[in-house]
Amino acid sequence: MDYTIPENLALMVETIRRFVKKDLDPISQQVEKDDRIPDGIVEAMRELGLFGLSIPEEFGGLGLGALGECLVYEELSKTNACFRTRVATNNGIGSQGIVLDGTPEQKERYLPRLASGEWTACFALTEPEAGSDAANIQTTAELVEGRWLLNGRKHFITNGSESHVATVFALTDKSKRAKGGITAFIVEKTYPGFSVGTIESKMGMRGSHTCELIFDNCEVPAENVIGGQAKVGQGFKTAMKTLDKGRLTMAASALGAAQRLLELSVDYAKQRVQFGRPIAEFQAVQFMLADMASQIYAARQMLYHAAWLRDKRGSAVIKEASMVKLFCTEMAGRVADMAVQVHGGMGYMKDYPVERFYRDLRLTRIYEGTSEIQRLVIAREMLKA
Amino acid sequence: MNLVVCIKQVPDTETQIKVGADGKSINMDDIKWVMNPYDEFGVEEALRIKADKGGDVIVVGAGPKRVTEALRTALAMGADKAILIEDEGLYGADPIFVGKLLAKAIEPLNPDIVFFGQRAVDDDCGLASSSVAEALGMPQLAVIVKQELDGDTIKVQRPVEGQTNVLSTKLPVCLTAQKGLNEPRYASLPGIMKAKKKPLEVKTLADLGVERDDKIEIAAINPPPERAPGKVIQGETPEELAVNLAKALREEAKVI
């Protein structure tokens, strides 16, 4: 078994490492306070190519495989999670519907703009009545005089207020729902009848904005059905394929944050003196550090293996991806809890980054498929034979 | 313009350096190797001159195969071509010899400017650049923080003890870059993808017709002595603390 990282990916990781250390981490607490990423940083992220990770090279992206994308996200997640989130919905769920199922004309119009970061994309599936039960959406689309009219309300949409383009899922046949009644649309923010609703206040992920999107007779051109006319009613498949692909990168983000928490904890344990010696000399603390390190090691091996497998097969690794998302995000939750414990009172203070990681990581067990949904997917894949 | 930048690959400044088993080299296990940080200023400046005046930026490195990574980083930053003088035993060689070797590879490139970092952060010698300038018969302007090109004349600024020397000469010239010359760009991700397709030529000592001719060798490498632990001055009152501090400074530290 050879786990050597290919040279060009190793160079990318090094670039991200330096960018995080020099430009992102020094402002991570400020971004937390302001709830906003400075424009100059978004521009720097564009220049580095971070918005085009997963968009094919022919459309101006980097065309990275799963391993490359995971390595970039792992490194980018060693600071405030909002930086990763700013690019991740664009690379992931926002644009992947178009990459996977878009028509040549749709790819030509949207992908180069998304790859450069000139435009960004979000993914609008979730609704008040449709979370894990994604097929229960209420938003409708009706073909009237050659264009689609969308009506309804999406919520919890990451980067919804920053995006120029949304991949929106709506009912085109209520009787069929997931079995041929849901269609995916590309909606530009300038279309009449589209608006951004409430921007939510969250437990964490400050600097990244989650909002409602409102469709009030929103007019969408007929050609904006993802995949064209033939794909009307096939949107649920597009949604599931898109989410499958995102699971590994979500796991990579949790892993990167866990690694940073381990590093912070080791440093702190070595310099924090109680009872006349550094707390790293106490077994109670050593055991926590050892547990953190071992679980991170296990998580990294399974992530890299699944990513490698996906690149090798060139197709979805459904069961493995769900296992990896489940394990890595749950692992990161345990690591974050231990990191707060190692830091003691300091781990609970807003002036120190540990409590921020703790809050931000909580989300990774919920979005893009809760831990419970991952378990259902794993069991279903395992038992179907 | 033919712009050449010489690059050394060195241990990352965050790496914990351990002395090797032979006592004359460093332990190479678990070292992360990077482009010498001062060389990055050279690459950046060459790229800026190219953007302004046109030309090609060629980066040259010497050492084991792993040096490819530092050269690829420079290509990813925007350099056009790389040359690696590959030799497994070159790390730690006499810098004057390394300079002669580099000069052999650089001469056919007909350079207008040869950039170096002002020194490498591993051995702190800063000699290879002088050796190249000598071998190629070029003037050397060292430790510069600013340069201005005007036709075939170059004017540079060099900080010295609170003042600035302004020096000028005709091209071709060998320059060594100091911190402050510029802010090096990152190797962007698209740049890294493009770098894969850029030419990287590998030469051996034999290809260049050079044999090892080191005049110095490393006799020993000693780690810095371990720092003694600090001492907390004891005492109940400020007066008592002051007396004990003064006593410690006089009798133990022997500084007053």
Side-chain angles (χ1 to χ4, degrees):
Chain A
M1 277 212 148
D2 184 359
Y3 270 65
T4 311
I5 306 295
E7 186 190 74
N8 62 328
L9 298 183
L11 292 179
M12 287 184 192
V13 169
E14 178 61 16
T15 288
I16 306 296
R17 191 183 70 84
R18 294 173 71 158
F19 182 55
V20 166
K21 196 173 161 205
K22 185 161 158 284
D23 294 321
L24 301 186
D25 212 42
I27 60 165
S28 61
Q29 293 293 79
Q30 192 58 45
V31 165
E32 186 73 6
K33 284 197 190 99
D34 298 347
D35 193 19
R36 184 170 185 279
I37 303 174
D39 294 341
I41 291 294
V42 176
E43 187 51 39
M45 292 166 112
R46 287 195 187 105
E47 279 170 21
L48 282 178
L50 287 174
F51 283 90
L53 300 176
S54 58
I55 293 172
E57 278 186 283
E58 54 179 313
F59 296 108
L62 295 168
L64 292 184
L67 182 62
E69 236 191 312
C70 286
L71 289 168
V72 168
Y73 284 131
E74 182 185 346
E75 205 58 36
L76 191 58
S77 300
K78 293 180 180 173
T79 182
N80 195 317
C82 70
F83 298 117
R84 195 261 312 161
T85 308
R86 187 71 183 81
V87 298
T89 58
N90 191 65
N91 283 304
I93 53 180
S95 68
Q96 284 305 301
I98 304 174
V99 171
L100 294 169
D101 285 340
T103 64
E105 295 76 24
Q106 288 166 352
K107 290 181 183 179
E108 200 60 52
R109 172 163 172 77
Y110 295 106
L111 296 182
R113 288 187 170 100
L114 297 174
S116 69
E118 178 197 344
W119 284 7
T120 49
C122 64
F123 178 83
L125 174 64
T126 300
E127 296 182 10
E129 302 303 321
S132 290
D133 184 8
N136 195 39
I137 57 172
Q138 310 294 321
T139 298
T140 57
E142 204 182 342
L143 194 58
V144 180
E145 293 168 4
R147 60 196 178 167
W148 292 92
L149 288 183
L150 269 60
N151 279 292
R153 187 176 285 255
K154 298 287 177 180
H155 82 165
F156 299 167
I157 307 305
T158 306
N159 289 350
S161 51
E162 283 89 355
S163 291
H164 302 74
V165 178
T167 303
V168 181
F169 298 87
L171 275 178
T172 42
D173 186 339
K174 280 185 188 167
S175 62
K176 291 187 186 158
R177 290 209 161 262
K179 297 187 173 69
I182 293 174
T183 301
F185 297 90
I186 307 168
V187 178
E188 297 183 21
K189 69 170 182 181
T190 53
Y191 289 174
F194 173 84
S195 62
V196 172
T198 312
I199 295 180
E200 307 291 346
S201 175
K202 311 182 293 304
M203 175 197 273
M205 302 297 287
R206 288 177 62 78
S208 160
H209 305 131
T210 296
C211 68
E212 281 184 313
L213 298 181
I214 299 163
F215 305 88
D216 180 10
N217 277 326
C218 175
E219 295 176 25
V220 179
E223 65 267 23
N224 273 36
V225 170
I226 290 185
Q229 192 58 32
K231 290 274 188 181
V232 170
Q234 302 301 307
F236 199 70
K237 280 188 199 151
T238 301
M240 292 303 112
K241 271 195 283 186
T242 303
L243 289 169
D244 273 340
K245 205 173 169 216
R247 282 176 185 146
L248 294 177
T249 55
M250 189 59 67
S253 305
L255 172 66
Q259 177 68 40
R260 179 71 196 281
L261 285 167
L262 173 63
E263 286 161 14
L264 287 169
S265 300
V266 168
D267 288 349
Y268 186 79
K270 281 184 182 165
Q271 51 108 352
R272 170 69 173 163
V273 175
Q274 286 289 276
F275 304 104
R277 48 187 154 142
I279 60 168
E281 290 181 17
F282 296 111
Q283 271 195 344
V285 172
Q286 289 175 0
F287 285 6
M288 282 193 277
L289 296 177
D291 279 347
M292 290 160 88
S294 306
Q295 294 183 40
I296 288 170
Y297 184 56
R300 182 172 288 117
Q301 306 319 306
M302 75 190 286
L303 172 69
Y304 289 5
H305 179 264
W308 168 81
L309 198 61
R310 191 186 203 291
D311 289 341
K312 196 175 90 149
R313 278 192 200 162
S315 65
V317 283
I318 294 169
K319 183 176 68 179
E320 289 81 358
S322 281
M323 287 171 158
V324 168
K325 193 206 175 230
L326 172 67
F327 186 84
C328 288
T329 58
E330 299 261 330
M331 174 284 293
R334 293 190 295 272
V335 165
D337 191 69
M338 286 188 274
V340 172
Q341 201 65 17
V342 169
H343 283 79
M346 194 57 90
Y348 202 67
M349 294 298 132
K350 289 255 185 202
D351 285 341
Y352 206 71
V354 175
E355 68 85 34
R356 185 190 77 223
F357 277 104
Y358 181 85
R359 285 181 288 111
D360 290 350
L361 274 167
R362 190 62 187 81
L363 183 58
T364 63
R365 282 184 270 164
I366 298 170
Y367 66 171
E368 297 197 26
T370 61
S371 290
E372 292 65 37
I373 291 293
Q374 305 307 331
R375 288 185 176 95
L376 287 180
V377 172
I378 296 160
R380 186 188 68 206
E381 290 292 313
M382 194 167 55
L383 297 172
K384 77 180 179 186
Chain B
M1 278 247 166
N2 293 331
L3 303 156
V4 172
V5 189
C6 293
I7 286 175
K8 184 174 186 183
Q9 192 192 37
V10 297
D12 184 72
T13 46
E14 284 171 16
T15 301
Q16 285 272 357
I17 300 293
K18 293 185 210 106
V19 178
D22 63 359
K24 295 196 283 192
S25 61
I26 59 171
N27 184 338
M28 308 265 192
D29 302 341
D30 303 323
I31 283 187
K32 191 167 147 228
W33 296 92
V34 297
M35 187 193 313
N36 176 38
Y38 290 107
D39 299 350
E40 289 183 26
F41 300 119
V43 174
E44 178 64 36
E45 202 64 12
L47 292 172
R48 289 184 190 194
I49 293 174
K50 179 189 160 168
D52 191 29
K53 316 260 179 205
D56 273 326
V57 176
I58 302 171
V59 291
V60 183
K65 197 172 170 50
R66 59 172 159 74
V67 176
T68 314
E69 236 182 78
L71 295 174
R72 285 256 189 249
T73 303
L75 292 174
M77 288 169 76
D80 300 288
K81 187 186 156 185
I83 299 172
L84 170 65
I85 306 167
E86 190 181 328
D87 186 273
E88 286 305 311
L90 218 49
Y91 189 72
D94 180 351
I96 299 289
F97 165 73
V98 174
K100 287 181 192 164
L101 182 63
L102 289 169
K104 281 278 183 199
I106 294 169
E107 197 168 16
L109 304 173
N110 197 21
D112 295 295
I113 305 179
V114 180
F115 281 98
F116 276 84
Q118 55 107 338
R119 64 190 163 84
V121 298
D122 52 356
D123 59 19
D124 272 351
C125 282
L127 285 172
S129 57
S130 307
S131 175
V132 165
E134 173 72 17
L136 299 179
M138 287 180 181
Q140 184 198 24
L141 301 177
V143 200
I144 67 159
V145 292
K146 190 173 178 358
Q147 62 77 25
E148 278 171 72
L149 262 173
D150 182 10
D152 65 346
T153 302
I154 189 163
K155 199 157 78 172
V156 305
Q157 292 187 8
R158 175 178 202 272
V160 276
E161 292 291 323
Q163 339 162 18
T164 305
N165 274 352
V166 181
L167 305 164
S168 102
T169 189
K170 296 270 185 211
L171 302 182
V173 64
C174 175
L175 302 178
T176 79
Q178 169 67 316
K179 189 175 181 183
L181 179 62
N182 53 45
E183 186 62 39
R185 69 195 67 187
Y186 292 109
S188 76
L189 273 44
I192 291 167
M193 297 298 278
K194 281 189 206 125
K196 272 200 305 192
K197 292 164 199 144
K198 288 183 179 175
L200 193 150
E201 198 182 329
V202 180
K203 292 176 188 282
T204 62
L205 268 61
D207 292 340
L208 295 167
V210 178
E211 278 182 40
R212 281 295 285 264
D213 176 29
D214 299 37
K215 302 288 192 243
I216 55 171
E217 65 173 294
I218 297 169
I221 293 182
N222 299 316
E226 265 188 51
R227 235 195 295 172
K231 181 178 172 169
V232 179
I233 304 292
Q234 304 292 335
E236 295 290 325
T237 62
E239 290 77 9
E240 214 178 308
L241 282 164
V243 166
N244 289 340
L245 175 62
K247 207 186 267 181
L249 287 172
R250 187 172 179 85
E251 291 169 12
E252 291 171 42
K254 297 194 168 65
V255 291
I256 53 172

